[in-house]
């Protein structure tokens, strides 16, 4: 009987991780699809980044709806629906969104495109809310993080393949010199027919799969005071969408052109940051009614997850436009995919290395694997691109950056605060090198941001939920909501790019805009220092806080 259950759990795990692949595939594909949309719909850099705004905003809104519905009904809706049914429903919603892309592209309306991305993301939000606890529940609790890391590696494979496959479908071949304006609409249709078909196929597979019934008997913890900051952040999210219309309306009303739309984007970020800082101060005065938000490490972590996801996404989302500038090589859209693939492959390289610590190996064996595994993963990235006809010899020099990551792992010693500090500082250094240079050196420096981001999620997550006790589940839900950073920070960088042309002689606006990830990595370094102080005050031994989870 035990053997049968073990077999069923193994099969269930392999079934569930298929959705992790989709999340990585589509998120990474945006790096190729965004420059296509920018040319096809004649968009500013800010407008092109609204794709990420709606995509990651869908995660936030979906999680928010589920949270408030559960709070109002005092019933854990996902638990009542069932994790399996939640994943199936999410896949069906994403399939409807993918099919909606066909009329959206044909209509020539960019707003229609954004609405479709939002629907796909709502489906992803439902899938993610169900799949993460499902994976943890499929076995012993102490090995739950190992299963999530495994699922996270599948997510990275999707991220590696996404730009390559989408680039191939849109441009005919990975080496074709085709401009975005010459891409056939039928190619875009084929891409989304394929995605919709895959979503439906996997949903049917789940429907007929004999997955174990997994539910949680954990009591739903209510926290009325936490509702206010969440609603304020929702309004800040909407402010970005209203930035251009609001500035146009106020300029017309005042008969001037002094009200810039970027002011509203900056205000949105300021509102979110100040709301979270204000929550820490308010919860210090009285913890009652705040639930998980009474813990400073959680609020600091919410801002860290917000910053981390935003930084991870914005580096590659703006890279397509960066590579098209003369100082970076005047790339065609069809030439960009290998670099976007290398960026997402960098996250895979770091996570494969980060997973070594989960195995019961001798210290010597671990040290050897820390050196070998990152280069093996880098070889996989090169192989995937080479298969599609890309000349990967121009990517070989990136091995230097991989070697730097290996040194960082040895310094970090698998300890969350130390690892986060080292990678945060390294991220700042890489971004500054990219800002003060051009060409291949700057390109590979910016791409190295993927190496630095690779294992930040589990470090941030584990530190943020340490000591939450009965509020751990609620705290985890709040952290997932802060994927919102992927919605806010890319448009913010787009506004910086549009508003800083000719600001510095010899530097394009899009190049200067990479000051945004510099600040992102700087906060993540600060978080590592600040959260360690908070946890030490609460009596936690930081050397024994285990990194867990993956994104």
């Amino acid at each position: 009987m035990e053997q049968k259950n073990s077999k069923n759990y193994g099969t269930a795990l392999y079934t569930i991780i298929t959705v992790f692949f989709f999340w990585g595939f589509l998120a990474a594909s945006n790096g190729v699809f965004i420059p296509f949309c920018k040319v096809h719909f004649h968009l500013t850099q800010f407008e092109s980044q609204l794709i990420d705004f709606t995509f990651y905003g869908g995660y936030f809104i979906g999680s928010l709806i589920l949270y408030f519905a559960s709070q109002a009904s005092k019933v854990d809706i996902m638990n009542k629906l069932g994790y399996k049914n939640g994943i199936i429903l999410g896949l069906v919603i994403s399939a409807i969104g993918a099919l909606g892309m066909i009329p959206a592209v044909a209509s020539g309306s960019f707003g229609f495109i954004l609405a479709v991305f939002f629907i796909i993301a709502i489906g992803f939000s439902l899938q993610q809310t169900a799949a993460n606890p499902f994976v943890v529940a499929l076995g012993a609790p102490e090995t739950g993080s190992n299963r999530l890391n495994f699922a996270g590696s599948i997510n990275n494979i999707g991220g590696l393949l996404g730009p390559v496959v989408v680039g191939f479908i849109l441009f005919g071949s990975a080496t074709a010199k085709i401009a975005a304006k010459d891409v056939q609409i039928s190619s875009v249709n084929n891409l989304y027919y394929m995605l919709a078909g895959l979503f439906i196929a996997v949903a049917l597979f789940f429907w007929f799969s004999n997955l174990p019934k997994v539910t949680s008997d954990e009591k739903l913890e209510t926290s009325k005071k936490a509702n206010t900051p969440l609603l304020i952040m929702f309004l800040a999210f909407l402010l970005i969408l209203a930035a251009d219309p609001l500035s146009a309306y106020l300029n017309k009303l005042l008969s001037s052109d002094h009200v810039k739309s970027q002011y509203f984007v900056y205000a949105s970020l300021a509102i979110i940051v100040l709301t979270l800082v204000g929550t820490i101060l308010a919860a210090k005065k009285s913890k009652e009614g705040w639930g998980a938000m009474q813990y400073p490490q959680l609020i600091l972590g919410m801002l860290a997850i917000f910053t981390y996801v935003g930084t991870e996404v914005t580096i590659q989302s703006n890279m397509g436009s960066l590579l098209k500038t003369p100082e970076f090589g005047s790339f065609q859209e069809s030439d960009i995919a290998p670099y976007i693939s290398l960026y997402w492959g960098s996250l895979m390289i770091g996570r494969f290395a980060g997973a070594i610590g989960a195995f019961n190996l001798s210290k010597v064996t671990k040290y050897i694997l820390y050196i070998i595994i990152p280069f093996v993963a880098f070889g996989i990235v090169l192989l995937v691109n080479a298969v599609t006809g890309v000349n990967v010899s121009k990517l070989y020099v990136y091995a230097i950056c991989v070697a730097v990551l290996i040194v960082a792992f040895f310094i970090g010693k698998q300890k969350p605060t130390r690892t986060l500090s080292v990678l945060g500082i390294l991220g700042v250094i890489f971004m500054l090198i990219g800002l003060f240079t051009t060409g291949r050196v700057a390109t590979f420096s910016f791409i190295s941001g993927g190496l630095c981001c690779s294992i930040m999620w589990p470090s941030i997550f584990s530190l943020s939920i340490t000591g939450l006790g009965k509020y751990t589940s609620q705290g985890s839900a709040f952290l997932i909501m802060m994927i919102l950073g992927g919605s806010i920070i890319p448009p913010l960088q787009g506004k910086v790019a549009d508003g800083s042309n000719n600001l510095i002689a010899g530097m394009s606006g899009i190049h200067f805009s990479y000051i945004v990830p510099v600040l992102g990595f700087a906060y993540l370094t600060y978080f590592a220092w600040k959260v360690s102080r908070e946890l030490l005050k609460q009596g936690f031994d930081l050397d024994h806080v285990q990194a867990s989870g993956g994104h």
Side-chain angles (χ1 to χ4, degrees):
M1 185 71 174
E2 282 182 14
Q3 190 175 8
K4 184 180 178 183
N5 286 340
S6 176
K7 184 178 179 183
N8 286 341
Y9 275 22
T11 304
L13 178 62
Y14 300 137
T15 303
I16 291 166
I17 59 173
T18 55
V19 294
F20 283 78
F21 176 87
F22 284 132
W23 305 338
F25 183 94
L26 202 59
S29 300
N30 289 352
V32 176
F33 195 66
I34 285 170
F36 160 75
C37 285
K38 184 180 179 184
V39 174
H40 187 78
F41 293 100
H42 310 289
L43 307 173
T44 64
Q45 188 61 22
F46 166 72
E47 289 169 337
S48 73
Q49 296 306 303
L50 289 178
I51 288 177
D52 274 336
F53 171 80
T54 52
F55 185 73
Y56 290 95
Y59 275 93
F60 173 65
I61 299 298
S63 300
L64 208 59
I65 291 170
L66 205 58
Y67 170 77
F68 278 118
S70 295
Q71 290 284 305
S73 63
K74 296 184 178 179
V75 172
D76 188 333
I77 292 175
M78 179 56 72
N79 189 43
K80 190 170 183 179
L81 181 65
Y83 294 144
K84 174 181 172 179
N85 292 334
I87 293 171
I88 293 170
L89 180 58
L91 284 164
V92 170
I93 292 171
S94 294
I96 291 169
L99 288 173
M101 188 64 79
I102 287 60
V105 173
S107 72
S109 168
F110 185 58
F112 197 170
I113 295 275
L114 295 180
V116 165
F117 265 106
F118 184 77
I119 293 169
I120 293 172
I122 288 287
F124 277 16
S125 172
L126 203 55
Q127 293 167 45
Q128 182 146 158
T129 303
N132 278 289
F134 205 160
V135 168
V136 172
L138 293 176
E142 59 269 22
T143 57
S145 64
N146 294 348
R147 289 188 292 279
L148 273 176
N149 280 325
F150 174 55
S153 68
I154 301 301
N155 177 278
N156 294 141
I157 292 171
L160 170 63
L161 292 174
V164 176
V165 173
V166 171
F168 193 89
I169 292 173
L170 291 183
F171 304 111
S173 76
T175 55
K177 305 295 181 184
I178 298 175
K181 62 183 176 61
D182 298 321
V183 171
Q184 298 296 312
I185 296 301
S186 59
S187 298
V188 181
N189 291 348
N190 290 339
L191 170 63
Y192 284 95
Y193 276 131
M194 179 192 77
L195 282 173
L198 286 171
F199 289 146
I200 293 296
V202 175
L204 288 171
F205 180 62
F206 268 82
W207 181 265
F208 290 109
S209 294
N210 184 27
L211 295 177
K213 183 175 176 60
V214 177
T215 56
S216 170
D217 56 3
E218 192 171 289
K219 182 185 174 184
L220 182 67
E221 295 290 344
T222 58
S223 35
K224 292 179 181 178
K225 288 184 181 177
N227 295 346
T228 302
L230 292 174
L231 285 171
I232 292 172
M233 286 190 283
F234 170 66
L235 294 174
F237 165 79
L238 294 180
L239 188 59
I240 285 193
L241 197 59
D244 283 343
L246 269 175
S247 64
Y249 172 76
L250 289 173
N251 281 325
K252 185 178 179 181
L253 189 68
L254 300 171
S255 300
S256 74
D257 60 353
H258 298 307
V259 182
K260 306 295 184 185
S261 59
Q262 58 258 41
Y263 298 160
F264 296 101
V265 179
Y266 302 153
S268 174
L269 180 65
I271 289 168
I272 290 170
V273 173
L274 291 174
T275 298
L276 291 173
V277 172
T279 300
I280 291 177
L281 297 175
K284 272 186 178 179
K285 292 179 181 177
S286 173
K287 296 183 183 299
E288 187 180 346
W290 282 107
M293 285 191 183
Q294 68 186 267
Y295 296 95
Q297 62 265 37
L298 178 72
I299 304 298
L300 290 166
M302 288 173 70
L303 189 52
I305 289 288
F306 176 91
T307 304
Y308 153 72
V309 175
T311 300
E312 176 189 279
V313 173
T314 200
I315 291 172
Q316 64 89 34
S317 291
N318 287 279
M319 191 167 289
S321 295
L322 181 75
L323 294 177
K324 290 171 69 176
T325 60
E327 62 265 36
F328 279 81
S330 301
F331 284 70
Q332 292 276 14
E333 286 82 3
S334 52
D335 297 322
I336 293 168
Y339 293 92
I340 302 298
S341 175
L342 179 60
Y343 176 79
W344 290 105
S346 295
L347 276 95
M348 183 187 77
I349 291 167
R351 286 174 183 169
F352 274 20
I356 293 169
F359 297 95
N360 187 22
L361 303 170
S362 69
K363 186 176 287 188
V364 174
T365 303
K366 283 183 179 180
Y367 283 167
I368 293 170
L369 289 177
Y370 275 134
I371 296 170
I372 295 174
I373 292 297
F375 287 112
V376 171
F378 179 46
I380 293 171
V381 175
L382 296 177
L383 180 63
V384 168
N385 281 279
V387 166
T388 59
V390 172
N391 177 14
V392 295
S393 61
K394 57 192 174 185
L395 305 179
Y396 290 163
V397 69
Y398 192 66
I400 297 171
C401 301
V402 176
V404 172
L405 177 73
I406 293 170
V407 174
F409 271 122
F410 277 108
I411 296 172
K413 295 182 177 179
Q414 285 286 302
K415 296 176 182 178
T417 50
R418 189 166 180 169
T419 299
L420 197 56
S421 297
V422 171
L423 293 179
I425 293 168
L426 191 59
V428 170
I429 293 170
F430 275 133
M431 295 303 106
L432 288 175
I433 291 172
L435 273 175
F436 290 108
T437 58
T438 57
R440 295 178 73 199
V441 172
T443 299
F444 287 130
S445 292
F446 288 141
I447 289 173
S448 296
L451 295 172
C452 299
C453 286
S454 59
I455 61 169
M456 281 188 167
W457 174 281
S459 295
I460 296 169
F461 211 93
S462 59
L463 291 165
S464 302
I465 62 174
T466 296
L468 267 59
K470 66 180 181 179
Y471 294 109
T472 299
S473 179
Q474 187 185 87
S476 299
F478 289 157
L479 289 170
I480 293 292
M481 284 182 197
M482 299 316 289
I483 290 175
L484 173 69
S487 175
I488 303 291
I489 293 180
L492 174 72
Q493 185 172 346
K495 275 298 181 190
V496 173
D498 289 333
S500 57
N501 282 312
N502 305 317
L503 186 66
I504 299 176
M507 181 180 283
S508 63
I510 188 66
H511 189 185
F512 175 77
S513 73
Y514 273 79
I515 189 71
V516 172
V518 172
L519 298 175
F521 281 119
Y523 172 73
L524 292 168
T525 306
Y526 167 78
F527 166 77
W529 171 77
K530 182 65 175 175
V531 79
S532 65
R533 295 187 67 188
E534 287 291 342
L535 291 176
L536 284 171
K537 280 194 291 186
Q538 296 173 34
F540 290 99
D541 180 0
L542 296 179
D543 286 344
H544 292 91
V545 173
Q546 295 299 312
S548 62
H551 174 72

